[in-house]
Each structure stands twice: as C-alpha cells, then as structure tokens.
C-alpha cells in the first residue's frame, strides 16, 4: 500500500517516517521490512475489525429474528384467544335470544367444551 504524503514533505504515515524526497519514500515503500510489517499488521487489524463487525451484525440479526418469532407466537395466541372469546360471545347471544323467545334454552344447551363435559357427566 502506498504511503500517504502530506504537501511538500515526503512522509510514510504508516511507519511515521519522513523522507527527503519522493524517490526515497518510494524506495521505503518497496524495500523496507518495517513498512512491509506495518502494512501486514494494518491489514490484519482491518480484517479483524471487519470480522468483529460481521459477528456483531450477525448477533443483531439473530436477536431481531428471535424477537420477530416471539412476536409471531404472541400474535397467534392473541388470535386464538380472540376466536375463543368470539365463540363464547356468540353462544351467549344464542342462549339469550332463545331465552327471550321463550324457548327455555338453558346455558347447558349451548354447545361448547364446558357444557359438553357437563352433559357427559350427567
């Protein structure tokens, strides 16, 4: 990786060294063992940062997925409860209507799990 130069001076910012000419800076970049090591270390650090960022993002996605799953389960339970309440409301309305008509329909004649169980028990 070429080192950056600032204005009129010739500086390898990676190694934090100043050179008298652009030619010396270029030779440093091409042949310096220190520069090569610094470039490798910078690349390793960049790869490590990228891996850490990807791991953090993967964990965040996993948490979001878990949240959405819990939300879907909650919505399903709420839907089931609403359906059960609607069935109960309809049964009560039917019993009330029959009672008003004088049919003498009692709550035990309403068709639901509880009344079915009571009928079987005698």
């Amino acid at each position: 990786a070429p080192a950056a130069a600032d204005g009129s001076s010739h500086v390898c910012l990676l190694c934090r060294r100043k050179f008298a000419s652009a030619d010396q800076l270029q030779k440093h970049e091409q042949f310096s063992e220190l520069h090569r090591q610094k470039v490798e270390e910078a690349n390793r650090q960049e790869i490590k940062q990228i891996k850490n960022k990807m791991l953090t993002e993967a964990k965040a996605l996993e948490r979001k997925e878990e949240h959405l799953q819990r939300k879907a389960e909650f919505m399903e339970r709420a839907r089931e409860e609403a359906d059960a309440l609607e069935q109960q409301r309809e049964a009560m309305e039917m019993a009330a209507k029959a009672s008003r008509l004088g049919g003498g329909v009692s709550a035990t004649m309403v068709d639901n799990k509880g009344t079915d169980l009571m009928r079987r028990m005698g």
Side-chain angles (χ1 to χ4, degrees), residues 3 11-19 28 34-35 38:
V11 177
C12 173
L13 297 176
L14 190 60
C15 297
R16 298 183 179 169
R17 293 190 62 195
K18 186 175 181 178
F19 297 92
H28 164 75
L34 173 66
H35 187 79
K38 295 275 186 173

Side-chain angles (χ1 to χ4, degrees), residues 77-122:
R77 284 192 308 272
R79 217 174 290 117
E80 290 171 358
E81 289 176 12
D83 290 345
L85 286 173
E86 180 62 22
Q87 288 176 355
Q88 187 178 23
R89 185 189 63 77
E90 289 173 359
M92 290 174 69
E93 284 178 4
M94 198 168 72
K97 189 182 288 184
S99 175
R100 281 193 306 266
L101 294 174
V105 176
S106 69
T108 58
M109 295 177 71
V110 176
D111 189 25
N112 66 34
K113 288 181 184 178
T115 56
D116 186 47
L117 179 63
M118 294 300 286
R119 273 188 236 140
R120 282 192 252 150
M121 288 174 53

Side-chain angles (χ1 to χ4, degrees), residues 54-64:
M54 290 174 67
L55 182 61
T56 300
E57 289 173 358
K59 287 179 181 179
L61 283 173
E62 187 176 308
R63 284 191 304 273
K64 186 172 186 173

Side-chain angles (χ1 to χ4, degrees), residues 10-72:
H10 306 285
V11 177
C12 173
L13 297 176
L14 190 60
C15 297
R16 298 183 179 169
R17 293 190 62 195
K18 186 175 181 178
F19 297 92
S21 68
D23 186 49
Q24 285 180 338
L25 175 59
Q26 186 178 13
K27 285 180 183 179
H28 164 75
E29 291 171 352
Q30 291 175 350
F31 303 113
S32 170
E33 181 64 22
L34 173 66
H35 187 79
R36 185 188 64 74
Q37 290 173 357
K38 295 275 186 173
V39 168
E40 287 175 4
E41 179 61 26
N43 288 339
R44 281 193 297 275
Q45 290 298 323
E46 187 175 357
I47 290 169
K48 186 177 180 181
Q49 287 174 347
I50 290 169
K51 284 181 179 179
N52 287 340
K53 184 178 178 182
M54 290 174 67
L55 182 61
T56 300
E57 289 173 358
K59 287 179 181 179
L61 283 173
E62 187 176 308
R63 284 191 304 273
K64 186 172 186 173
E65 185 177 300
E66 289 171 357
H67 171 74
L68 290 174
Q69 179 64 34
R70 286 191 306 271
K71 185 176 179 180

